[in-house]
């Protein structure tokens, strides 16, 4: 037997041992669990209104299509519209988006073309536009980690990231903020 043949035989044995030791077992397909949740109910042209203990409206939610998943404790919406009302019962804020999710903690996540309108004549913010907005319906806190454009009566500002509070009328841009202030006599 030549050295070359012996070397190939030894190399073959090493490869065979390495193959046997490194054998990987695949999980059978039936053991892989895929969650496919079905909604507990669906609604078209949904309108729901929430009232406080004194009977005053606090918010209203409209949607062209909604699905509720009890196991996930959330509802999904197409074209949601959220109205927030002030202490006197007047619509103060209107928020629209392409899609939205409402979690059981009354946290609304709005995505795609999110637009907020200040509906009262005294609103210092006329509009707010962003691709993503989180709104807590209980505390009225708002936040976003995306670009934000705000137009007010006397200013226009834009930046990235937002935290604020609708009831206290407090908004803060977190990064890359620029503002233009108008000094017009009315």
């Amino acid at each position: 037997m030549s050295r070359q043949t012996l070397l190939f035989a030894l190399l073959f044995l090493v490869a065979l041992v390495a193959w046997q030791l490194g054998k990987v077992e695949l999980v059978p397909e039936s053991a892989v669990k895929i969650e496919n949740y079905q909604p507990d109910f669906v609604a078209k042209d949904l309108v729901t209104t929430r009232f406080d203990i004194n009977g005053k409206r606090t918010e209203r939610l409209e949607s062209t299509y909604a699905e509720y998943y009890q196991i996930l404790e959330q509802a999904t919406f197409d074209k949601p519209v959220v109205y927030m009302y002030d202490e006197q019962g007047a619509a103060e804020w209107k928020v629209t988006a392409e899609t939205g999710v409402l979690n059981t903690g009354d946290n609304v996540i709005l995505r795609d073309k999110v637009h907020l309108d200040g509906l009262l004549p005294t609103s210092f913010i006329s509009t707010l536009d962003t691709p993503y907005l989180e709104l807590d319906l209980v505390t009225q806190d708002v936040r976003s980690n995306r670009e934000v454009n705000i137009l007010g009566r006397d200013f226009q500002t834009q930046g990235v990231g937002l935290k604020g509070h609708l009831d206290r009328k407090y908004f803060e841009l977190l990064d890359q903020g620029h503002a233009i202030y108008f000094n017009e006599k009315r």
Side-chain angles (χ1 to χ4, degrees), residues 18-148:
W19 177 69
Q20 288 297 323
L21 291 177
K23 195 173 191 182
V24 177
E25 287 190 36
L26 298 175
V27 178
E29 282 186 40
S30 62
V32 176
K33 188 173 182 180
I34 297 174
E35 298 294 337
N36 189 9
Y37 297 110
Q38 295 296 317
D40 292 295
F41 75 82
V42 297
K44 291 182 181 177
D45 300 322
L46 172 76
V47 176
T48 180
T49 304
R50 186 181 298 186
F51 298 89
D52 67 9
I53 59 172
N54 299 320
K56 289 184 184 175
R57 281 191 293 195
T58 56
E59 67 256 355
R60 175 184 170 108
L61 174 67
E62 301 173 1
S63 178
T64 58
Y65 181 80
E67 295 180 345
Y68 175 71
Y69 299 87
Q70 184 173 5
I71 194 164
L72 299 175
E73 297 182 340
Q74 73 179 23
T76 61
F77 302 100
D78 290 342
K79 308 272 189 216
V81 179
V82 179
Y83 291 93
M84 304 294 291
Y85 295 88
D86 66 5
E87 295 288 324
Q88 291 73 36
E92 185 173 15
W93 303 102
K94 177 184 175 185
V95 187
T96 60
E98 292 294 312
T99 61
V101 175
L102 173 65
N103 297 314
T104 56
D106 287 333
N107 185 34
V108 179
I109 299 169
L110 301 164
R111 291 186 178 95
D112 303 322
K113 298 181 185 173
V114 180
H115 180 79
L116 180 139
D117 284 311
L119 300 177
L120 298 178
T122 58
S123 294
F124 71 102
I125 289 187
S126 300
T127 63
L128 183 149
D129 292 293
T130 184
Y132 176 85
L133 185 74
E134 294 179 27
L135 168 62
D136 189 315
L137 295 175
V138 175
T139 65
Q140 294 195 3
D141 287 326
V142 292
R143 63 189 161 275
S144 178
N145 61 354
R146 305 286 299 276
E147 57 275 0
V148 178

Side-chain angles (χ1 to χ4, degrees), residues 124-125 150-159 171-173 176-186:
F124 71 102
I125 289 187
I150 300 174
L151 180 62
R153 288 187 317 210
D154 300 323
F155 69 95
Q156 177 180 345
T157 186
Q158 62 186 36
F171 295 89
E172 178 183 348
L173 293 175
Q176 302 176 19
H178 318 32
I180 299 172
Y181 294 93
F182 309 117
N183 190 11
E184 296 177 10
K185 302 243 182 199
R186 293 183 187 237

